[in-house]
């Protein structure tokens, strides 16, 4: 490669570091030429992560408490049309048991995640959230249960929920329609994110990398979108095909592109909470470590009862044992040590203006 070219990439990344912003075409240029500048990007992204969060990696205990879902997203293994999976719901007692185990292991954030399951009315959830909150007042509660009404989000917030994760999946409306059935609306998804922000949640959005029909231009647009929405968290992972979905034959996303997007996100939103996702660890055995080196600072091990984990298969071969398992926290600690990081047992709140 010509020295001149290297200089252009470096200059753009330096500009991104200085301004936390690039023009769409500049992002696009970097994405298209990522082979030539990923190391420089990661070096800068790591530096920014360290400046803001130090060497600490935050952990969240993930409780996947229902795999019932009323939606039928074309990519997702727990879509309602998938008749091949065994459905489960955890009772309040079972959820509390997960939280108790997590607390003893050092977790101070619990993520209650599930499909859009109408069984969990506001009343049921308020009871669960307020009980966890009263037993563990030093813990943060994150909810991730898809689209609900403003009033419902308000009720859960008042019951003690601190954060909400709702991936927007793509910021391109036409693309959104290619990933979802007709009855799902892009506008409603974005409205949900706005409502959550208005209610004072720490909000996480996110998208899949390499989802069917996605092109590089859309990834550049994702960065512009994130800059506008200013989420506190951004969850991204590679799309991975699931055998019992309409996208069973679609090509999966790659580690390399996911890492590059993580680096760009860290430099665009320096304070953001950025998880190294299970999807990335699923396609790459060193995915977690690579994500951190690219700018990520959060890991979300699984606290669900072992016997239900295999039923929460969003995509083929989703990991749920070893380091994905909360019980393996010590192995995770040594893995982090190997990349000069430590596991933090604090709530791990967003560091930045709220
Ligand atoms: N591959 C990767 N990620 C997926 N998700 C759902 N299905 C898949 C898949 N096949 C992600 C979506 C969703 C989150 C819970 O999991 O982004 O928001």
């Amino acid at each position: 490669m010509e020295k001149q070219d290297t200089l252009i990439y470096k200059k753009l990344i330096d500009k991104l570091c200085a301004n936390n912003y690039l023009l769409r075409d500049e992002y696009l240029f970097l994405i298209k030429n990522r082979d030539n500048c990923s190391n420089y990007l990661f070096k800068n992204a790591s530096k920014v992560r360290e400046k803001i969060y130090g060497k600490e990696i935050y952990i969240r205990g993930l409780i996947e408490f229902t795999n019932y879902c009323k939606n039928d997203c074309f990519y997702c293994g727990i879509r309602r049309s998938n008749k091949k999976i065994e459905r489960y719901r955890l009772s309040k007692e079972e959820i509390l048991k997960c939280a108790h185990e997590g607390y003893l292991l050092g977790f101070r954030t619990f993520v209650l995640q599930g499909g859009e399951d109408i069984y969990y009315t506001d009343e049921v959830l308020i009871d669960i959230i307020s009980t966890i909150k009263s037993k563990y007042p030093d813990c943060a509660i994150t909810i991730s249960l898809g689209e609900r009404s403003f009033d419902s989000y308000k009720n859960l917030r008042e019951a003690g929920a601190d954060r909400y994760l709702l991936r927007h999946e793509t910021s391109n409306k036409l693309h959104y329609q290619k990933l979802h059935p007709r009855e799902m609306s892009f506008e409603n998804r974005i409205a949900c994110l706005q409502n959550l922000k208005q209610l004072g949640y720490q909000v996480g959005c996110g998208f899949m990398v390499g989802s069917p029909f996605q092109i590089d231009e859309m990834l550049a647009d994702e960065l512009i979108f994130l800059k506008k929405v200013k989420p506190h968290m951004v969850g991204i992972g590679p799309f991975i095909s699931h055998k019992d979905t309409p996208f069973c034959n679609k090509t999966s996303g790659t580690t390399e592109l996911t890492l590059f997007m993580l680096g760009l996100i860290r430099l665009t939103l320096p304070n953001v909470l950025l998880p190294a996702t299970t999807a990335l660890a699923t396609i790459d055995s060193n995915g977690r470590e690579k994500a951190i080196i690219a700018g990520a600072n959060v890991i979300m091990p699984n606290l669900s009862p072992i016997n239900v984990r295999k039923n929460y298969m969003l995509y083929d071969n989703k990991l749920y044992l070893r380091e994905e398992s909360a019980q393996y926290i010590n192995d995770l600690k040594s893995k982090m040590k190997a990349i000069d990081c430590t596991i933090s047992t604090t709530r791990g709140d967003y560091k930045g203006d709220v």
Side-chain angles (χ1 to χ4, degrees):
M1 195 185 18
E2 294 293 319
K3 203 163 173 236
Q4 201 63 32
D5 292 339
T6 327
L7 216 63
I8 303 178
Y9 310 129
K10 269 188 98 170
K11 268 192 163 168
L12 275 180
I13 292 170
D14 290 344
K15 182 177 162 190
L16 178 57
C17 284
N19 302 348
N20 310 132
Y21 192 70
L22 286 180
L23 299 173
R24 178 199 193 247
D25 286 349
E26 295 173 328
Y27 279 125
L28 183 59
F29 180 78
L30 288 179
I31 292 167
K32 285 202 181 292
N33 292 283
R34 57 187 180 275
D35 284 357
N36 302 317
C37 55
S38 56
N39 287 338
Y40 190 66
L41 173 71
F42 299 157
K43 208 172 89 186
N44 282 282
S46 265
K47 218 192 287 172
V48 170
R49 172 178 47 72
E50 250 194 79
K51 193 177 120 206
I52 297 173
Y53 289 100
K55 292 186 186 297
E56 295 203 328
I57 301 301
Y58 293 157
I59 47 166
R60 322 300 197 192
L62 184 60
I63 306 173
E64 296 165 333
F65 67 93
T66 171
N67 70 350
Y68 281 85
C69 191
K70 67 173 156 68
N71 289 334
D72 219 12
C73 309
F74 301 145
Y75 46 85
C76 185
I78 65 167
R79 65 198 303 267
R80 71 158 184 266
S81 296
N82 184 5
K83 305 288 180 226
K84 293 198 178 158
I85 55 168
E86 195 183 318
R87 303 282 170 172
Y88 73 89
R89 284 187 180 113
L90 300 188
S91 65
K92 177 186 174 187
E93 288 65 36
E94 288 170 311
I95 295 172
L96 287 173
K97 221 174 128 193
C98 297
H100 178 71
E101 187 176 2
Y103 193 88
L104 296 180
L105 288 165
F107 289 85
R108 293 296 177 268
T109 291
F110 301 116
V111 182
L112 301 181
Q113 187 165 78
E116 291 194 19
D117 179 356
I118 54 167
Y119 170 86
Y120 294 93
T121 57
D122 289 358
E123 200 189 338
V124 173
L125 290 170
I126 288 168
D127 180 32
I128 295 169
I129 294 167
S130 54
T131 308
I132 297 180
K133 209 61 192 185
S134 66
K135 283 189 183 249
Y136 312 104
D138 53 335
C139 291
I141 298 185
T142 305
I143 306 293
S144 180
L145 285 174
E147 297 175 25
R148 302 176 76 93
S149 68
F150 181 90
D151 287 342
S152 173
Y153 287 151
K154 186 164 183 279
N155 289 336
L156 307 186
R157 176 92 183 105
E158 285 167 1
D162 306 278
R163 310 179 183 141
Y164 203 103
L165 301 179
L166 179 70
R167 288 193 181 177
H168 59 288
E169 313 298 356
T170 170
S171 61
N172 180 300
K173 183 175 166 165
L174 291 175
H175 187 216
Y176 189 90
Q177 289 168 340
K178 290 187 178 175
L179 303 179
H180 301 96
R182 261 176 197 286
E183 66 268 16
M184 287 181 72
S185 118
F186 175 70
E187 285 78 10
N188 192 52
R189 198 132 189 118
I190 303 301
C192 283
L193 285 174
Q194 283 161 351
N195 290 342
L196 290 162
K197 267 211 141 174
Q198 195 187 323
L199 288 162
Y201 283 95
Q202 287 182 35
V203 176
C205 63
F207 54 90
M208 289 178 288
V209 176
S211 58
F213 317 109
Q214 185 182 66
I215 55 173
D216 289 346
E217 283 71 6
M218 294 176 186
L219 290 170
D221 287 334
E222 289 302 340
L223 295 155
I224 306 291
F225 174 85
L226 291 178
K227 197 68 193 173
K228 205 170 71 189
V229 174
K230 299 195 199 72
H232 307 95
M233 293 168 260
V234 178
I236 70 163
F239 159 75
I240 305 173
S241 64
H242 184 294
K243 60 183 185 0
D244 302 312
T245 64
F247 287 168
C248 57
N249 293 320
K250 301 286 185 197
T251 312
S252 294
T254 63
T255 304
E256 145 301 287
L257 183 52
T258 306
L259 294 173
F260 198 77
M261 291 307 295
L262 284 171
L264 289 178
I265 294 169
R266 170 60 64 206
L267 295 185
T268 301
L269 300 171
N271 299 304
V272 82
L273 294 162
L274 199 56
T277 52
T278 305
L280 189 60
T282 298
I283 61 164
D284 187 314
S285 54
N286 293 314
R288 247 174 267 104
E289 291 88 333
K290 287 179 184 172
I292 288 164
I293 289 164
N297 70 324
V298 176
I299 296 181
M300 299 167 65
N302 202 318
L303 265 180
S304 317
I306 297 275
N307 64 313
V308 301
R309 289 187 194 175
K310 63 178 184 314
N311 297 324
Y312 208 87
M313 278 290 157
L314 303 173
Y315 40 81
D316 288 339
N317 306 314
K318 180 171 169 263
L319 301 184
Y320 54 86
L321 296 174
R322 310 283 318 191
E323 286 83 9
E324 286 305 314
S325 181
Q327 290 76 7
Y328 272 76
I329 185 85
N330 286 329
D331 293 40
L332 203 55
K333 280 183 188 159
S334 5
K335 290 215 162 182
M336 291 303 108
K337 203 166 164 207
I339 53 167
D340 192 29
C341 285
T342 57
I343 292 284
S344 161
T345 49
T346 65
R347 277 169 51 119
D349 277 301
Y350 178 73
K351 290 193 180 170
D353 301 332
V354 229

